[in-house]
Amino acid sequence: MNLKKKFIINLSFILMIIAISEIFSCFILSKKYSQDIKDFIKITKNKDIKIPLIKYSKTQLPSKELLYNDLRPIEYKNSDKQAIILFGCSYTYGFGLNENETFSRKLADYTNRTIINRGRSGTGIPFLYYQLNDTEVINQFPKNPEYIIFTLIPDHFPRLFRYRNFVMTGEHTLRYKIKDNELVIDKPINPTIHSLFTSIIIEEYLEQKNATNKNKVDMLFKKLMEESYKKIKDNFPNTKFVV
């Protein structure tokens, strides 16, 4: 068999596998989102409506490295005043800033208090709740901080439903859903299936649809904030929670 023929056969085989995978991907998603898929097909047929480009989120499901490493240093660590703990995204972390330019350093200089910055770029309200449920994170904090401050920005609301970023690895953004009135991590049916092109396009559309549904956004936001507040009161009963 000459190289040209072998190449064509191998290429045909690869394309066939991709086609079968995409068909399977559509089948899996259609079982889960039957009505949403119909809406998606209807919209794609309307030439006046443009489907937005895919926006990948860089925030993966938290690992130990994401939770405990690459954090801003604790400011005024030995202060005898009650501490302040900061949660939030890049605004809190101080993305692109030097250590002496961050929100946490400025607050430490102003208050002469210990300031613990738990901000993480690209995250949002789900990551606040996730951290407050991690015993190791909680145990790193002083027992009686005066304030826990969460910096809320408008982009945190669409981040509640942001697309899960797969690169055929199964890693995905941290998202919650409400099931039986409880918050549970929203895991994909099959990480590999959700990595495929068809799934990416459909999933992105569906999550943008959720992110623009005010009722869904309000309900998930309220639930996450209420449960976060409960976690703070369970662990730090005398601490004030500020948003």
Side-chain angles (χ1 to χ4, degrees):
M1 186 183 297
N2 60 45
L3 289 176
K4 185 177 180 181
K5 190 173 181 181
K6 189 175 181 180
F7 172 76
I8 292 173
I9 290 173
N10 288 338
L11 181 61
S12 300
F13 179 73
I14 291 170
L15 292 174
M16 182 178 68
I17 293 296
I18 291 173
I20 291 172
S21 299
E22 291 293 347
I23 291 169
F24 188 49
S25 168
C26 281
F27 173 75
I28 292 292
L29 284 175
S30 65
K31 297 291 283 184
K32 185 178 180 182
Y33 306 114
S34 56
Q35 185 55 51
D36 288 319
I37 297 294
K38 290 175 185 176
D39 294 341
F40 175 76
I41 292 171
K42 190 185 298 182
I43 285 176
T44 55
K45 287 181 178 178
N46 187 338
K47 294 181 180 179
D48 295 328
I49 299 177
K50 292 183 179 180
I51 301 296
L53 294 175
I54 300 166
K55 298 176 183 177
Y56 293 97
S57 171
K58 295 178 181 178
T59 309
Q60 296 173 343
L61 187 67
S63 60
K64 293 299 180 185
E65 182 179 354
L66 189 64
L67 278 174
Y68 311 126
N69 298 334
D70 193 29
L71 300 169
R72 290 295 190 181
I74 297 176
E75 309 287 356
Y76 289 36
K77 193 170 184 177
N78 298 318
S79 172
D80 56 2
K81 295 183 177 181
Q82 283 179 280
I84 298 174
I85 303 170
L86 307 178
F87 289 95
C89 59
S90 55
Y91 282 77
T92 302
Y93 176 81
F95 180 76
L97 299 178
N98 296 321
E99 298 291 1
N100 64 339
E101 299 172 323
T102 62
F103 167 32
S104 44
R105 172 65 65 83
K106 300 297 183 185
L107 187 60
D109 290 342
Y110 182 74
T111 62
N112 292 311
R113 295 172 183 263
T114 297
I115 307 294
I116 301 171
N117 187 338
R118 294 293 310 190
R120 177 70 68 175
S121 296
T123 62
I125 307 157
F127 194 57
L128 165 69
Y129 178 70
Y130 189 90
Q131 290 181 96
L132 291 171
N133 277 274
D134 189 284
T135 305
E136 287 186 58
V137 171
I138 295 298
N139 289 340
Q140 291 175 359
F141 297 151
K143 298 301 180 186
N144 189 32
E146 183 162 4
Y147 294 99
I148 288 179
I149 301 173
F150 176 67
T151 304
L152 182 70
I153 66 170
D155 195 48
H156 285 170
F157 295 100
R159 287 182 196 182
L160 292 172
F161 299 98
R162 183 149 290 169
Y163 168 71
R164 291 175 282 229
N165 181 20
F166 293 95
V167 194
M168 304 299 285
T169 62
E171 294 173 335
H172 59 96
T173 56
L174 176 64
R175 289 197 325 213
Y176 283 92
K177 62 183 178 181
I178 301 173
K179 185 176 182 181
D180 299 326
N181 203 36
E182 298 291 329
L183 285 167
V184 295
I185 291 179
D186 185 11
K187 293 183 178 179
I189 299 171
N190 183 304
T192 302
I193 288 296
H194 281 254
S195 303
L196 301 172
F197 180 75
T198 301
S199 298
I200 288 171
I201 294 291
I202 295 174
E203 184 91 12
E204 173 66 10
Y205 160 73
L206 295 177
E207 296 318 321
Q208 287 198 6
K209 181 180 176 184
N210 283 332
T212 55
N213 184 322
K214 188 176 183 302
N215 290 333
K216 286 189 176 182
V217 172
D218 287 352
M219 183 168 62
L220 188 54
F221 167 72
K222 183 180 179 183
K223 185 70 173 174
L224 279 164
M225 293 305 289
E226 285 177 346
E227 295 302 320
S228 295
Y229 181 70
K230 287 179 186 176
K231 284 293 176 184
I232 289 171
K233 286 304 172 186
D234 287 344
N235 290 287
F236 313 106
N238 298 317
T239 297
K240 304 175 187 71
F241 182 40
V242 180
V243 179

